Amino acid sequence: MTDIDPMISEQHQAVVCDPIGFTFTTPDLILNIIRPLIDAHSLPALLSLSTISTNFEQIIRTSETFWKELCHQRWKGKWGFQRRWEAALKQYDVFNECQERRDTRVTFWRQRYFEEEQDATRESIGARELSSLTFDFRFWIGQPIVVDERIVVKSGLLQSASRDVRFRWNDEEPQIEEGSDDWFSHRGVLTGHPCREPGIEWFMNESSIIQWGFRPNLWPRGEIRRTENWGWEIRNPNVVMRAIDTLPSLDDDTATETEAEGGHEC
């Protein structure tokens, strides 16, 4: 029977049980190594590593640096990045200052990551949030033009008809007249419409169904929906409007993608 050094035996067991933790002995070292691998789609793969390394599990559970970087990579290509990022930074400062509310089990950036993921699935919008947005307005079908003695109708999506559409709302004004059976719950004034005529009103219900025009003959009803990049879109049979990101990401990769898509930052 061969004698085995107890120290070697323990090291062998450590390698078998936790090879990453044995090789990279501290969470900070692991974090420095994986930081270049963190991107908007890496979370599932990185989470799977936590099952084979206690040090990595500690990073996933407690590292603000890890989750902050993950938030940045995830958000930088999304609509509203600058506002979302700056708001999170300010709230993180408040979080650190409130010592009496500190809970060592709470990781601010991890919690914020999943909060934003949940919010991105929200399909409804309130009147206050709607009124804070500026929209790019495009017709589905463009104006007919004559080319080589032929009438040509191009897609209206190729050219913006207005980039200053606002759904203005005053919460101090009564939204529904007493005794009314109107379908809407919020109303206001629409400005920046391509027709440039004053007096256009808008109406919206709690299900984010919206309609606008000159009463009593309003234009067709539309719906407000979320885009894949977390922005907002309004569409009816005639037009489509997308919220403009007034503070787009300054990230080089995102800027390149925007230019490739024709610079339509909506």
Side-chain angles (χ1 to χ4, degrees):
M1 180 174 181
T2 303
D3 291 333
I4 300 178
D5 189 325
M7 183 66 69
I8 297 178
S9 179
E10 291 177 4
Q11 290 178 347
H12 176 74
Q13 185 175 2
V15 171
V16 172
C17 295
D18 190 0
I20 295 179
F22 180 81
T23 306
F24 308 110
T25 55
T26 67
D28 289 341
L29 180 57
I30 295 179
L31 185 59
N32 289 333
I33 293 172
I34 67 172
R35 183 178 285 115
L37 305 178
I38 299 174
D39 60 33
H41 309 289
S42 63
L43 182 58
L46 294 174
L47 286 176
S48 66
L49 290 178
S50 65
T51 62
I52 61 174
S53 170
T54 54
N55 281 339
F56 202 95
E57 183 182 10
Q58 183 179 347
I59 290 175
I60 296 295
R61 190 173 61 250
T62 64
S63 174
E64 293 285 12
T65 303
F66 170 81
W67 285 99
K68 181 180 180 181
E69 181 66 21
L70 194 60
C71 285
H72 187 276
Q73 294 295 329
R74 176 65 170 160
W75 300 347
K76 70 178 183 180
K78 301 298 184 182
W79 184 93
F81 165 73
Q82 285 295 123
R83 285 184 295 271
R84 184 177 294 109
W85 183 249
E86 291 173 2
L89 289 174
K90 291 179 180 178
Q91 292 177 12
Y92 181 58
D93 290 339
V94 173
F95 173 81
N96 282 331
E97 291 174 359
C98 297
Q99 295 294 334
E100 68 277 5
R101 295 172 55 188
R102 289 294 301 274
D103 185 338
T104 56
R105 295 170 297 177
V106 175
T107 305
F108 173 87
W109 288 103
R110 176 178 178 171
Q111 181 172 308
R112 191 56 177 261
Y113 178 93
F114 288 109
E115 286 176 353
E116 293 294 339
E117 290 293 314
Q118 179 64 34
D119 185 70
T121 65
R122 175 172 56 91
E123 291 291 342
S124 62
I125 189 172
R128 187 179 305 279
E129 183 178 4
L130 177 66
S131 66
S132 71
L133 303 176
T134 302
F135 287 86
D136 173 277
F137 184 109
R138 303 187 184 211
F139 292 99
W140 290 109
I141 301 175
Q143 292 292 331
I145 60 175
V146 177
V147 178
D148 296 331
E149 299 183 352
R150 294 183 304 169
I151 297 178
V152 177
V153 180
K154 295 184 177 180
S155 171
L157 300 179
L158 297 175
Q159 184 175 3
S160 174
S162 174
R163 288 182 61 86
D164 191 31
V165 174
R166 298 287 303 275
F167 291 81
R168 302 189 181 277
W169 175 71
N170 186 348
D171 59 351
E172 296 182 358
E173 294 182 358
Q175 299 296 294
I176 304 177
E177 297 178 1
E178 187 174 353
S180 172
D181 59 352
D182 289 325
W183 63 273
F184 59 87
S185 51
H186 303 288
R187 60 188 294 184
V189 176
L190 188 149
T191 61
H193 191 278
C195 77
R196 304 302 177 190
E197 294 186 29
I200 300 177
E201 296 180 273
W202 64 267
F203 308 87
M204 182 178 72
N205 66 13
E206 298 298 337
S207 299
S208 294
I209 300 299
I210 192 167
Q211 192 169 17
W212 59 92
F214 301 96
R215 288 204 292 178
N217 300 314
L218 301 178
W219 290 306
R221 290 188 185 183
E223 62 173 353
I224 305 176
R225 56 189 289 272
R226 235 29 205 283
T227 61
E228 290 184 359
N229 71 337
W230 299 4
W232 290 101
E233 179 181 85
I234 301 174
R235 56 168 64 190
N236 73 5
N238 299 332
V239 306
V240 58
M241 290 181 268
R242 284 192 174 182
I244 297 172
D245 193 351
T246 55
L247 294 172
S249 172
L250 300 179
D251 181 80
D252 291 340
D253 294 337
T254 304
T256 301
E257 291 174 4
T258 302
E259 292 174 2
E261 295 171 355
H264 191 191
E265 300 173 359
C266 298

